[in-house]
Amino acid sequence: MRLQDNNELIDRIRLKQQLLAKGDDSHKNIRLLYMFDGGVMSGVFAGGVGVGMLESTIHADDGSPVSLFDTADALVGCSAGTPPILYGLSRQSFLGYTIYPDKLSGNKFVNLKRAWRMVDIDYLVNIFRTGERSLNLQRLLSARSKAYTVLTHVKTGEKEIFDLKNEKALHLLELAITTPIVSGFKLVDTREYVDGFILPIKKIIERFNPTDVVLVLNSPIGSHASEGPGLLDKTIGNIMGKVLHPKLRDSFVYRHGEFQKNLSFFENLPSTHNINIGILAPHKHHIGRFEKSVDRIRNAGMEGAKTVLNIFAPHKKDEILKKM
């Protein structure tokens, strides 16, 4: 169910936000989990969702802001779904969003002709670490909500969940967006963990035991339902199989099928676990993992922000979208 169609979940999110603003501990009865999916450049939709979440703010009696990020008891990101969480908790969502159209649309970041490093992670990590779009670690660490990322163990292919609220946040972020072969051959021998590839939804639900869950997808619901490995994925998988553990290769190549199993589990949560669920996903401006068009990238981010603002802060929508 899309979040905008679940009035009960929307009301519970608003209630938790109001209780937090009042300092009312009964907000703990609503255990709210947000999960952010990945997808390289398509992650700009999640970046736009982050803008909408941060702008959907109310204020406590002392004037301190309480955004939708603050309503989360836990936020879990996978791959490109991790940066929007960190930039949201550091109250820099707009800066985080602008990285996509302003810094990642050219050939410095993604270049499929650069076979030895199709995606330059070092370039992106440098943006996270230095300059005007660098992540504010002090604000991140002082945020109320807990934040996690999903990584894949190189030798087992197993998904593991890591706490991001510590001094290793940027290192973990780098691992979260690092795919062997795609991000460079040198990474094969220097990383124990890499990109999580997909959200292990069942494992996450069991770990955090939420009452309410919002899932952010960067492609339309059902878009990967019958999608098998493409030619590029198969080629990368064949190379992985020669230099990496087969389980890591399979975790990458067959991630769409595995994700569909996780999504089916998620969609059944209301009946199997009595959990309120809502999905935020693009309708129109779905873009590919290696999109280059600045206009398409910007439109996808704006759709993410608009989707959230329509629900929680419609009075601010036009103002925010003009800035994007």
Side-chain angles (χ1 to χ4, degrees):
M1 177 185 290
R2 290 185 179 274
L3 175 59
Q4 52 266 49
D5 297 326
N6 189 339
N7 290 327
E8 181 182 0
L9 178 53
I10 292 170
D11 289 344
R12 285 172 65 82
I13 293 172
R14 286 181 174 140
L15 175 59
K16 187 172 180 79
Q17 189 177 32
Q18 292 163 0
L19 293 172
L20 283 164
K22 294 176 182 177
D24 188 333
D25 280 349
S26 63
H27 75 82
K28 296 177 182 177
N29 294 325
I30 302 173
R31 301 187 302 277
L32 185 54
L33 167 69
Y34 291 83
M35 296 184 287
F36 283 66
D37 191 27
V40 195
M41 293 303 294
S42 65
V44 69
F45 177 82
V49 167
V51 172
M53 289 178 62
L54 189 61
E55 293 295 337
S56 298
T57 294
I58 64 174
H59 290 85
D61 292 339
D62 63 2
S64 59
V66 181
S67 77
L68 293 186
F69 278 102
D70 297 308
T71 66
D73 293 289
L75 299 113
V76 183
C78 180
S79 189
T82 304
I85 289 174
L86 298 184
Y87 275 87
L89 291 182
S90 64
R91 302 193 181 280
Q92 297 171 287
S93 289
F94 189 80
L95 274 182
Y97 151 76
T98 63
I99 291 173
Y100 286 91
D102 295 351
K103 296 293 186 180
L104 305 186
S105 57
N107 287 326
K108 285 186 177 181
F109 180 55
V110 175
N111 187 346
L112 299 185
K113 295 180 180 179
R114 191 176 57 210
W116 63 93
R117 180 177 282 197
M118 289 179 278
V119 179
D120 191 342
I121 296 302
D122 290 342
Y123 168 73
L124 178 55
V125 171
N126 187 58
I127 295 173
F128 294 152
R129 290 183 180 275
T130 63
E132 61 182 5
R133 291 175 173 86
S134 61
L135 188 66
N136 188 319
L137 283 175
Q138 184 175 358
R139 286 212 296 255
L140 165 66
L141 296 177
S142 64
R144 187 197 85 85
S145 303
K146 296 180 180 179
Y148 303 84
T149 192
V150 176
L151 301 178
T152 306
H153 194 280
V154 169
K155 292 185 178 180
T156 66
E158 293 297 317
K159 314 294 182 198
E160 299 183 27
I161 301 170
F162 287 80
D163 185 354
L164 288 166
K165 297 283 290 291
N166 56 63
E167 68 281 357
K168 295 182 179 179
L170 284 169
H171 174 63
L172 291 170
L173 175 56
E174 179 180 357
L175 296 181
I177 57 175
T178 297
T179 300
I181 311 304
V182 177
S183 304
F185 286 87
K186 74 172 187 176
L187 301 175
V188 172
D189 297 322
T190 60
R191 300 287 189 271
E192 184 178 4
Y193 292 93
V194 292
D195 191 320
F197 304 139
I198 65 164
L199 285 164
I201 293 175
K202 185 175 182 180
K203 177 178 283 191
I204 295 169
I205 295 296
E206 291 173 348
R207 165 84 175 263
F208 296 104
N209 188 31
T211 58
D212 304 82
V213 185
V214 175
L215 172 63
V216 181
L217 302 179
N218 293 311
S219 55
I221 298 171
S223 60
H224 299 308
S226 58
E227 183 177 326
L231 179 59
L232 180 60
D233 286 349
K234 288 180 179 178
T235 302
I236 294 170
N238 287 336
I239 299 172
M240 281 186 177
K242 295 177 180 179
V243 295
L244 297 172
H245 197 284
K247 288 186 177 180
L248 179 62
R249 174 202 61 203
D250 292 346
S251 183
F252 171 78
V253 173
Y254 300 110
R255 65 192 183 281
H256 292 313
E258 189 62 30
F259 181 73
Q260 284 304 314
K261 294 179 184 177
N262 276 273
L263 187 57
S264 177
F265 169 82
F266 178 78
E267 291 172 335
N268 287 316
L269 283 175
S271 59
T272 60
H273 292 68
N274 195 29
I275 294 175
N276 276 312
I277 65 167
I279 298 176
L280 290 170
H283 279 289
K284 299 179 293 186
H285 299 293
H286 170 46
I287 60 175
R289 288 181 290 165
F290 305 126
E291 180 64 58
K292 291 290 187 179
S293 166
V294 173
D295 287 341
R296 284 176 57 81
I297 292 168
R298 196 176 301 278
N299 284 338
M302 290 174 66
E303 184 180 0
K306 182 178 179 181
T307 303
V308 177
L309 293 169
N310 275 338
I311 301 171
F312 294 102
H315 60 288
K316 298 180 69 175
K317 180 180 67 176
D318 291 343
E319 172 193 350
I320 301 304
L321 294 181
K322 283 181 182 178
K323 295 179 181 178
M324 297 177 73

